[in-house]
Amino acid sequence: MDIVVLVKQVPDSGLERNLNAEKRVDRDGSNNVMGELDEYAVEAALQLKEQHDGTVTVLTVGPDQATETIRKVLAMGADQAVHVSDEAVAGSDALATAQILAAALGRANWDLVLAGAESTDSGMGVMTHLLSAHTGAAALTGARKIEIDGSTVTVEHQKDNGYSKLQAQLPAIVSVWDTINTPRYPSLKGIMAAKRKKIEVLSLSDLGVDASAVGAAGASTEVLTVESRPERSAGTIVTDEGEGGRSLAEFLASEKFI
Amino acid sequence: MSQILVYVPDNSRHSAEVLTLARGLGEVAAAAFGDEAASLAAEYGAASLYKVDADGLDDYFVAPKAEALASIAEGKEWQAVLVPSTDEGKAVAARLAVKLGTGFLTDVSALDGEGVGTQEIFAGSRIVTSKVAKGVTVATVKAGSVAAEAAPSEPAAEAVDYTVGDDAKKVAVLETVEEPPGDRPGLTEADIVVSGGRGVGSAENFSLIEKVADAFGGAVGASRAAVDSGYYPHKFQVGQTGTTVSPQLYVAAGISGAIQHRAGMQTSKTIVAVNKDSDAPIFSMADYGVVGDLFNVLPQLLEEVEKRK
Ligand SMILES: Cc1cc2nc3c(=O)[nH]c(=O)nc-3n(C[C@H](O)[C@H](O)[C@@H](O)COP(=O)(O)OP(=O)(O)OC[C@H]3O[C@@H](n4cnc5c(N)ncnc54)[C@H](O)[C@@H]3O)c2cc1C
Ligand SMILES: Cc1cc2nc3c(=O)[nH]c(=O)nc-3n(C[C@H](O)[C@H](O)[C@H](O)COP(=O)(O)OP(=O)(O)OC[C@H]3O[C@@H](n4cnc5c(N)ncnc54)[C@H](O)[C@@H]3O)c2cc1C
């Protein structure tokens, strides 16, 4: 079974994140990591390969420095990589990104595409369905469990109050939540092996995508203003020396919660 | 005058909120799925109603609803198309946008008459406004963005003639398992949420968190570390990959306050934290914090609540 796993490099959510002067995510500097949920998609891909053989290809659309994220996925155990990198991609919205990813998927043979349920920067949580609309493959989103039997894929789609069991025929596109598994760390051997694995770098023209249809030029949405939310200022902090619960009750009574 | 098309999948409070928001912008046409959704649309002031009752809508995942909505939306002029921002709603909006060749906004907390939406990004630390630059505005609206206000109407209803196409039958829904909601208010509806983290230490100890929640008539929440450790079920997880809550009062006990947790609770009106580590990041956002052992502080709080009753 041939699997493509979609991975997006994002700014580390544990650090200060900003939009730049162009009102795009500031991706400069060294604070970039693999999308947190994408790690779970990679792990799911590797486990499925262990069960069913085949290949795992990582696909990313992003600037040059996204190679670091690709190397990490290769070190975890993916076989090869496709990196779409082109100046004209900058400023793409969801529709344009989906168009580029769909074009790249169109050049590969795959039975299954795995992705994060949402990215951890813009986090729209829509890519799987957009790609389904483009490729015609079934979309099974928000999986907390995935099983492949022959050409049938079955997932437990996680909901707020339970789950639905979804089933489709391959080829299919599945996105995953962090409840699905525990991602592995790259081993030293994996890190060494990753250096020899192939990363195919593609431009928009390699993909036959019209540069004016994507990026800032082709965007169908526009960010107008950006503001910082006023920081919540810290309130009163007391140390419990036997009266902590009572002082908390005082506070809650003064705020009319008691 | 062009209308605002609202996708109404059910009779939830969230759907009522989106109808209320839309009414503030113009005349509302509701695409209602089933009888309950249709009566909600009438209660919340839809001027006209497209009613979809096709067989098999719920037998297949998302695609039939997206296709049915597209069949209503296509070929007409809309001021905007609004959809509740749920996993399903976002999927429907995304598929509709591809069909209509229009841009779309997700998770807006406000939308004005010019189609400018407000979105909170980066775990709520930045607020951006944006709009659809090409085509009709398709937007998904976050829960809790406006207060739902009824405005009963008698909409002209039109039955939509839709049959699920083969393309929409690719993903079968084999079964749906709903876990019973229990006696406490739901996380997103509760005015008060009391959450426990890894510091609670065990599943048994969570009964202390439940007692505090019950003393305030609130809901129980949990951090991901508490869920991952098996202290409390996942459906109570608050945060980026759990539920987002915005109650009047949020109590965090034994929770450090990681960014992914804060993403799900930082718009709470009042935040209270109990943690034995004075450097825990949760204190930087708490209106009132007690540095101390939760197993001392919370029982004393409960005693006080009893006394004051
Ligand atoms: C503040 C802000 C607001 C935005 N608002 C909108 C908006 O309202 N409408 C709009 O159309 N665009 C918007 N965008 C742009 C849009 O989010 C991204 O350009 C687009 O790529 C969607 O990505 P996502 O990460 O949200 O996708 P998601 O659907 O959240 O991504 C899900 C998964 O898809 C895969 N994936 C996503 N992107 C890539 C990639 N580049 N390469 C490989 N795999 C990938 C990953 O597995 C990821 O986990 C906004 C951007 C910002 C910064
Ligand atoms: C992709 C991704 C998604 C995530 N999504 C979420 C999410 O949705 N929600 C979420 O919560 N997290 C989420 N996380 C995890 C998050 O990063 C933190 O790991 C998690 O929130 C930590 O939970 P905690 O505060 O309970 O545990 P810890 O960080 O271990 O903190 C426990 C705290 O309890 C205190 N404590 C211990 N004993 C006591 C005592 N007796 N009395 C008082 N205080 C005590 C300690 O001082 C400490 O501050 C996510 C992470 C990732 C990577």
Side-chain angles (χ1 to χ4, degrees):
Chain A
M1 187 173 56
D2 294 316
I3 303 175
V4 175
V5 56
L6 305 182
V7 163
K8 183 186 190 187
Q9 191 184 52
V10 300
D12 189 338
S13 61
L15 304 169
E16 171 95 359
R17 292 176 290 174
N18 272 312
L19 296 189
N20 63 20
E22 272 113 22
K23 302 194 186 80
R24 297 177 198 152
V25 176
D26 188 352
R27 301 180 190 281
D28 291 346
S30 55
N31 297 340
N32 295 306
V33 296
M34 179 180 347
E36 287 169 336
L37 288 169
D38 300 351
E39 295 199 25
Y40 297 82
V42 172
E43 179 61 35
L46 296 173
Q47 287 184 12
L48 287 170
K49 181 189 160 178
E50 284 156 14
Q51 291 161 24
H52 302 277
D53 292 331
T55 59
V56 174
T57 304
V58 47
L59 168 59
T60 199
V61 175
D64 287 347
Q65 80 245 23
T67 334
E68 292 161 30
T69 292
I70 290 177
R71 289 276 175 222
K72 178 165 180 196
V73 182
L74 294 175
M76 286 170 79
D79 301 293
Q80 57 199 24
V82 175
H83 182 178
V84 181
S85 182
D86 196 311
E87 295 276 315
V89 171
S92 291
D93 60 8
L95 289 174
T97 307
Q99 202 188 327
I100 301 167
L101 284 169
L105 288 174
R107 299 171 80 253
N109 279 323
W110 49 270
D111 307 293
L112 182 68
V113 172
L114 285 167
E118 58 189 40
S119 71
T120 42
D121 56 355
S122 34
M124 296 177 70
V126 296
M127 207 46 71
T128 322
H129 284 284
L130 291 173
L131 290 174
S132 167
H134 278 288
T135 63
L140 303 86
T141 48
R144 66 177 197 187
K145 193 169 171 202
I146 172 169
E147 263 168 19
I148 308 270
D149 184 4
S151 63
T152 304
V153 55
T154 309
V155 313
E156 281 183 18
H157 163 76
Q158 181 172 302
K159 310 220 285 191
D160 286 349
N161 262 328
Y163 67 92
S164 293
K165 201 172 241 183
L166 308 180
Q167 194 169 72
Q169 295 303 304
L170 300 177
I173 310 175
V174 175
S175 72
V176 306
W177 284 117
D178 50 351
T179 36
I180 197 164
N181 57 38
T182 307
R184 68 193 68 188
Y185 290 102
S187 65
L188 195 57
K189 198 166 138 234
I191 294 169
M192 298 309 290
K195 296 194 171 133
R196 294 187 303 274
K197 288 178 180 167
K198 187 168 153 235
I199 302 179
E200 188 182 11
V201 180
L202 298 175
S203 66
L204 289 176
S205 65
D206 293 333
L207 291 176
V209 172
D210 176 4
S212 67
V214 300
S220 53
T221 57
E222 187 187 346
V223 178
L224 305 171
T225 62
V226 187
E227 268 176 59
S228 292
R229 172 190 290 286
E231 289 274 327
R232 278 191 92 103
S233 47
T236 311
I237 310 291
V238 300
T239 300
D240 179 34
E241 281 158 357
E243 295 292 314
R246 255 187 286 283
S247 62
L248 179 52
E250 274 311 318
F251 171 77
L252 293 174
S254 74
E255 297 283 317
K256 310 264 181 294
F257 290 115
I258 301 179
Chain B
M1 189 182 76
S2 61
Q3 289 183 311
I4 297 167
L5 181 63
V6 178
Y7 169 73
V8 187
D10 53 28
N11 64 351
S12 65
R13 184 162 94 177
H14 194 174
S15 293
E17 290 167 1
V18 182
L19 286 161
T20 307
L21 175 77
R23 225 169 55 221
L25 301 177
E27 195 176 280
V28 174
F33 289 71
D35 294 335
E36 291 182 345
S39 33
L40 183 89
E43 193 184 333
Y44 286 85
S48 54
L49 191 65
Y50 296 92
K51 191 151 175 278
V52 189
D53 283 303
D55 281 338
L57 270 179
D58 292 319
D59 298 343
Y60 306 95
F61 184 58
V62 177
K65 286 183 179 156
E67 211 176 65
L69 182 65
S71 77
I72 296 167
E74 269 172 324
K76 300 186 196 74
E77 290 267 331
W78 304 102
Q79 188 187 331
V81 182
L82 301 186
V83 174
S85 214
T86 58
D87 287 348
E88 182 194 85
K90 288 205 256 188
V92 164
R95 285 171 179 273
L96 179 69
V98 174
K99 258 272 171 55
L100 300 181
T102 186
F104 68 115
L105 306 175
T106 48
D107 291 313
V108 303
S109 55
L111 187 76
D112 70 14
E114 313 296 310
V116 176
T118 304
Q119 295 164 304
E120 297 181 6
I121 60 161
F122 298 156
S125 66
R126 301 280 182 278
I127 299 163
V128 306
T129 58
S130 50
K131 69 173 177 45
V132 171
K134 285 181 198 154
V136 54
T137 300
V138 173
T140 74
V141 181
K142 263 175 49 164
S145 298
V146 297
E149 275 170 41
S153 61
E154 279 172 28
E158 181 182 319
V160 176
D161 183 22
Y162 168 74
T163 35
V164 182
D166 284 343
D167 261 359
K169 288 185 177 168
K170 285 182 181 145
V171 183
V173 178
L174 300 184
E175 65 169 329
T176 292
V177 178
E178 294 203 9
E179 286 147 10
D183 299 336
R184 298 192 180 84
L187 264 182
T188 49
E189 277 107 57
D191 287 331
I192 296 179
V193 175
V194 181
S195 290
R198 199 200 306 269
V200 175
S202 70
E204 296 74 49
N205 289 348
F206 246 81
S207 64
L208 176 59
I209 303 296
E210 290 178 334
K211 275 187 205 138
V212 177
D214 292 342
F216 289 93
V220 175
S223 73
R224 176 164 157 205
V227 170
D228 283 354
S229 309
Y231 302 168
Y232 224 63
H234 177 268
K235 67 172 175 172
F236 297 101
Q237 181 175 315
V238 172
Q240 184 188 303
T241 52
T243 304
T244 299
V245 299
S246 196
Q248 296 297 312
L249 172 65
Y250 188 85
V251 180
I255 293 178
S256 60
I259 180 92
Q260 295 94 345
H261 188 77
R262 299 205 308 256
M265 47 65 75
Q266 64 195 336
T267 54
S268 305
K269 188 120 186 306
T270 300
I271 296 174
V272 160
V274 181
N275 195 305
K276 63 182 184 190
D277 174 8
S278 63
D279 291 330
I282 192 82
F283 284 127
S284 69
M285 64 187 308
D287 297 287
Y288 198 85
V290 181
V291 180
D293 191 322
L294 68 94
F295 298 105
N296 298 330
V297 176
L298 295 183
Q300 194 177 59
L301 170 66
L302 283 172
E303 262 174 43
E304 284 298 313
V305 175
E306 258 328 292
K307 266 192 223 160
R308 286 165 199 250
K309 260 186 184 155

